[in-house]
Amino acid sequence: MKTISTFAEYQSEYKKSVETPELFWAEHAETFTWKKKWDKVLDWNFVDLNIKWFDGGTLNITENCLDRHLETQPNQTAIIFEANDPNEPVRKITYKELHTEVCKFANVLLSNGAKKGDRICIYMPMVPEAAVAMLACARIGAIHNVVFGGFSANSLVDRINDSAVNILITSDGSFRGNKQIGLKEIADEALKLTPSVKTTIVLKRTGQTVNMLAGRDKWYHEEMQNVAATHIAAEVNAEDELFILYTSGSTGKPKGVVHTTAGYMVFAEYSFRNVFQYRHKPSPNGEGMGEAPIFWCTADVGWITGHTYIVYGPLLAGATTLMFEGIPTYPDAGRFWHAIDKHKVNIFYTAPTAIRSLMAMGDEFPAKYKMDSLQILGSVGEPINEEAWHWYHEKIGHGNCPICDTYWQTETGGFLISPLANIGKDKPAHAGFPLPGIQTILVDSEGKVLEGNGVEGNLCIKFPWPSAIRTTYGDHERCKQTYFSTYKGLYFTGDGAKRDTDGYYRILGRVDDVMNVSGHRIGTAEVENAINEHPAVVESAVVGYPHDIKGQGIYAYVICDKAIADENETRKEILAVITKVIGPIAKPDKIQFVKGLPKTRSGKIMRRILRKIAEGEVSNLGDTSTLLDPAVVEDIKIGAEKLR
Ligand code: WTA
């Protein structure tokens, strides 16, 4: 695949991608293995919402992730596994071995009745078998639905039932720092309410005791013993669904973002190679491929970052991708830096929230390590503030590594805006320029396009890119409404952004009711619904507020039906309800009990006021005269002061 290596090349490629998009993407698509070439590069309509890339083509993405590398670099390490316990032996899996594992597990799925088009749920720790499971689904043409291992049984139920999953792949438990989490136990709880699941396949990871229901639950290692080691990849259509990934929005339950096969594949490899300037080293004897740089993305496979930049992007590019099971602070706050030296990591990709929390632990941790293998750094999940950017640049990159501040979303499948490493154009706290193929524009609240530089508005995309969301599972209308109806004919990201006088984009954050807490997307409505399940709660309103480490914290205003005897006790109960309904990531940082909420005469909660109070900006609350009862604001202000 042809890649960009200078800014001038970037500019000409961008121009080409806008002027002749079909030609541009066809050239990149040519570099992949197809079973049958496409008939038409692109067919699209943002009003009825219909996006088709490479229609008529057939392929299997795993032939591109695995089989095609067997000729050139069978013994190259595909996955390095660094376990939670630093003393546990490292596992290195070559492309040849990974291919065999995936073929075997594809056969396991088939022998358990899986068929093309089935939805298969993966609820696993960060172990190579999670990647094997994803790839095996893709190999047989089934659709994977990965659920982050930190979600509760309830969340798992919703995500399984919404897409009528028939097989669940999980593990006995997972290791997270000094904790052990019983994933199978949580899954058992969920399985009481998921009639569509007929089979569970359980990986033995922690060795803890689990219940195995005869006829339904099977051990991964036992199943793998009885199958052939070869499998011919299923032929799937370019627009067949590859995966569903649930994500939060401003209303209702999380929705299943659907990505399809060929477009996602092309953009995953293209964006990975270009942003991280991923290139194999020259081969010492001039034959075959040279060594692959070591790439480490610290995300979890349960999020889009894990899908595109731990599994698909790197494997498509024949890279070596590191999977880390643990957490950044175990056994101490030097764990990332230790692992960078241990594995001679060349490209390191993490989140601002991790950087800020490690920065707060002190410079002595990174100072203990050389980290001289590092060449490129990356950041994702939220805007990176300048202080964290500089710390990352100096203490981790030793001033030598560019930082790719990659801006994108679950819905976009891959990077939208990011500096391309080493082309000398990164500016602290700016995501920079759109990737070729990404036609970003800013609009004002009426949808008027803001031309030129030095403008600020809502960030939209006006032309399809290959890895764009195709639909939300089972509800096409919702997808149209959520992303393509605010501004007719445009995809709306939900983010505000500024294009500075030099043309660099700076992302300003969500303009809708979605919070970004430690890089996790959480809908305010989702948290409110969970809080309202507590029997004493009458109503609640949740807003995000600036938080030093998490980026945003969660602030909940709660009305109870009677005076509460012990506020702290009720707070604890509410937190327990949220952990049960969603998972610990959605626990509010602050819960304030209030008698009323600021509502308009039509009953709409004025979140603007609640946000300001949560931020501590009480002096200028703006116009409150349209409120049904302006006095509640005074009460809330007094209560908020006590919580500080
Ligand atoms: C935010 C994660 C600023 C943004 C890949 C977006 C960012 C949401 C950045 C998507 C960044 C992600 N700079 N903001 N580099 N990266 N965001 O779906 O608000 O979990 O809309 O995808 O995260 O979150 P999601």
Side-chain angles (χ1 to χ4, degrees):
M1 183 180 266
K2 200 176 111 195
T3 50
I4 297 165
S5 39
T6 63
F7 194 68
E9 253 172 51
Y10 159 75
Q11 286 173 310
S12 71
E13 289 295 298
Y14 188 83
K15 192 159 173 273
K16 190 164 150 195
S17 78
V18 173
E19 287 170 358
T20 52
E22 299 198 20
L23 192 71
F24 178 87
W25 287 114
E27 266 176 31
H28 291 296
E30 295 279 354
T31 63
F32 291 83
T33 303
W34 294 81
K35 289 190 193 268
K36 176 179 166 285
K37 270 284 160 61
W38 56 89
D39 301 323
K40 195 156 190 269
V41 179
L42 173 64
D43 200 0
W44 73 288
N45 172 341
F46 273 181
V47 177
D48 299 328
L49 184 54
N50 167 36
I51 305 168
K52 284 189 183 145
W53 281 95
F54 311 112
D55 205 26
T58 68
L59 71 161
N60 191 287
I61 192 170
T62 71
E63 286 193 333
N64 287 284
C65 289
L66 302 169
D67 302 59
R68 69 170 164 158
H69 303 311
L70 297 186
E71 285 160 29
T72 50
Q73 49 162 27
N75 301 319
Q76 175 66 60
T77 303
I79 299 180
I80 300 176
F81 175 60
E82 170 73 16
N84 179 61
D85 175 355
N87 299 317
E88 186 176 316
V90 171
R91 281 168 68 190
K92 288 191 181 174
I93 304 167
T94 65
Y95 272 91
K96 193 153 164 259
E97 288 162 347
L98 184 61
H99 178 262
T100 305
E101 291 302 291
V102 171
C103 287
K104 281 171 73 181
F105 198 61
N107 288 327
V108 167
L109 293 175
L110 292 174
S111 70
N112 279 286
K115 296 176 309 300
K116 194 169 167 179
D118 282 356
R119 277 77 55 212
I120 296 180
C121 180
I122 299 174
Y123 184 62
M124 287 183 92
M126 276 291 293
V127 292
E129 286 77 6
V132 170
M134 290 164 73
L135 293 163
C137 288
R139 187 108 184 147
I140 65 165
I143 304 163
H144 57 71
N145 166 1
V146 183
V147 178
F148 171 57
F151 277 126
S152 69
N154 267 278
S155 297
L156 188 56
V157 169
D158 288 345
R159 286 158 171 79
I160 288 176
N161 288 345
D162 187 70
S163 47
V165 161
N166 58 347
I167 298 179
L168 170 67
I169 306 163
T170 186
S171 72
D172 49 359
S174 71
F175 295 117
R176 303 278 297 159
N178 52 21
K179 285 198 209 124
Q180 202 168 306
I181 297 151
L183 289 185
K184 177 62 165 64
E185 205 183 321
I186 300 170
D188 283 341
E189 194 58 35
L191 286 164
K192 290 179 194 158
L193 299 169
T194 55
S196 58
V197 176
K198 303 291 178 242
T199 307
T200 30
I201 302 173
V202 186
L203 176 80
K204 192 171 266 204
R205 172 62 188 135
T206 56
Q208 68 198 94
T209 320
V210 291
N211 283 323
M212 295 292 279
L213 186 70
R216 185 193 68 188
D217 299 350
K218 305 183 178 173
W219 285 109
Y220 183 103
H221 60 275
E222 288 176 3
E223 294 291 300
M224 289 289 265
Q225 275 166 8
N226 307 320
V227 288
T230 54
H231 173 269
I232 297 177
E235 180 169 6
V236 308
N237 292 319
E239 279 297 334
D240 277 350
E241 293 166 347
L242 174 63
F243 66 84
I244 307 171
L245 186 58
Y246 284 82
T247 191
S248 297
S250 36
T251 54
K253 288 197 169 176
K255 49 193 169 299
V257 170
V258 172
H259 284 288
T260 56
T261 306
Y264 174 82
M265 169 183 81
V266 171
F267 197 72
E269 181 177 341
Y270 179 80
S271 55
F272 174 76
R273 280 192 187 276
N274 279 294
V275 167
F276 295 120
Q277 293 286 298
Y278 195 90
R279 296 199 177 94
H280 286 67
K281 294 173 192 154
S283 133
N285 57 8
E287 278 169 33
M289 302 283 281
E291 229 179 288
I294 315 275
F295 174 79
W296 180 12
C297 163
T298 69
D300 190 285
V301 287
W303 310 116
I304 191 69
T305 308
H307 281 60
T308 311
Y309 300 110
I310 293 178
V311 180
Y312 288 110
L315 296 179
L316 286 163
T320 297
T321 177
L322 191 151
M323 279 181 90
F324 173 49
E325 185 185 34
I327 57 170
T329 48
Y330 177 82
D332 66 34
R335 184 64 193 274
F336 276 176
W337 325 133
H338 177 258
I340 287 173
D341 276 0
K342 177 170 169 188
H343 298 290
K344 308 237 172 310
V345 171
N346 304 112
I347 307 168
F348 179 68
Y349 183 35
T350 194
T353 185
I355 299 168
R356 286 191 301 264
S357 68
L358 296 173
M359 183 168 86
M361 304 281 185
D363 294 353
E364 62 272 26
F365 289 101
K368 274 189 238 160
Y369 302 97
K370 291 223 275 292
M371 295 190 276
D372 53 356
S373 55
L374 282 178
Q375 289 164 348
I376 292 161
L377 300 173
S379 166
V380 62
E382 57 177 305
I384 178 166
N385 50 308
E386 294 207 19
E387 195 191 357
W389 194 99
H390 286 292
W391 188 82
Y392 195 29
H393 191 246
E394 279 146 37
K395 303 292 178 216
I396 309 306
H398 298 146
N400 303 319
C401 305
I403 298 179
C404 301
D405 178 0
T406 64
Y407 165 74
W408 59 298
Q409 310 178 299
T410 306
E411 294 84 348
T412 70
F415 304 144
L416 293 179
I417 305 179
S418 172
L420 311 184
N422 294 321
I423 66 170
K425 290 279 173 184
D426 36 333
K427 205 187 238 193
H430 287 70
F433 297 95
L435 264 69
I438 308 296
Q439 300 192 30
T440 43
I441 55 170
L442 295 177
V443 300
D444 69 11
S445 50
E446 267 80 60
K448 193 172 126 287
V449 178
L450 304 169
E451 309 280 357
N453 292 339
V455 288
E456 194 177 310
N458 290 338
L459 181 60
C460 295
I461 304 170
K462 65 174 182 189
F463 193 84
W465 64 104
S467 62
I469 181 173
R470 298 300 198 267
T471 189
T472 47
Y473 195 82
D475 196 348
H476 195 60
E477 195 52 36
R478 187 172 177 197
C479 185
K480 250 165 54 180
Q481 282 303 326
T482 311
Y483 305 105
F484 296 89
S485 71
T486 316
Y487 305 111
K488 204 165 176 212
L490 300 176
Y491 168 82
F492 176 39
T493 59
D495 285 301
K498 184 175 165 178
R499 194 166 50 230
D500 75 7
T501 46
D502 300 322
Y504 286 74
Y505 280 92
R506 178 179 192 137
I507 308 301
L508 302 169
R510 305 288 307 193
V511 294
D512 54 9
D513 288 325
V514 174
M515 299 174 289
N516 189 331
V517 182
S518 300
H520 301 319
R521 259 167 85 164
I522 304 174
T524 52
E526 251 180 288
V527 183
E528 288 163 5
N529 291 341
I531 295 176
N532 299 350
E533 291 207 8
H534 186 286
V537 173
V538 177
E539 195 180 3
S540 60
V542 164
V543 296
Y545 72 101
H547 186 288
D548 285 350
I549 304 287
K550 299 179 175 185
Q552 268 191 318
I554 305 180
Y555 197 120
Y557 298 90
V558 179
I559 307 178
C560 289
D561 57 1
K562 48 184 181 299
I564 313 159
D566 182 344
E567 288 200 347
N568 278 335
E569 206 41 49
T570 311
R571 272 197 191 95
K572 272 193 212 143
E573 288 165 17
I574 290 175
L575 294 179
V577 172
I578 294 168
T579 304
K580 183 161 173 282
V581 176
I582 307 175
I585 56 171
K587 286 199 287 194
D589 300 271
K590 287 188 181 170
I591 298 177
Q592 182 183 344
F593 294 103
V594 294
K595 291 202 199 76
L597 292 167
K599 286 188 182 171
T600 59
R601 290 193 178 87
S602 60
K604 201 171 164 278
I605 297 174
M606 298 267 284
R607 286 169 191 282
R608 180 180 53 80
I609 294 176
L610 294 177
R611 262 186 233 117
K612 285 226 159 148
I613 297 176
E615 284 166 19
E617 275 199 37
V618 289
S619 56
N620 178 20
L621 290 182
D623 183 14
T624 55
S625 64
T626 56
L627 290 179
L628 189 62
D629 177 10
V632 296
V633 176
E634 290 312 309
D635 267 359
I636 297 176
K637 271 164 49 179
I638 296 165
E641 205 43 53
K642 285 192 202 140
L643 265 191
R644 236 163 256 294

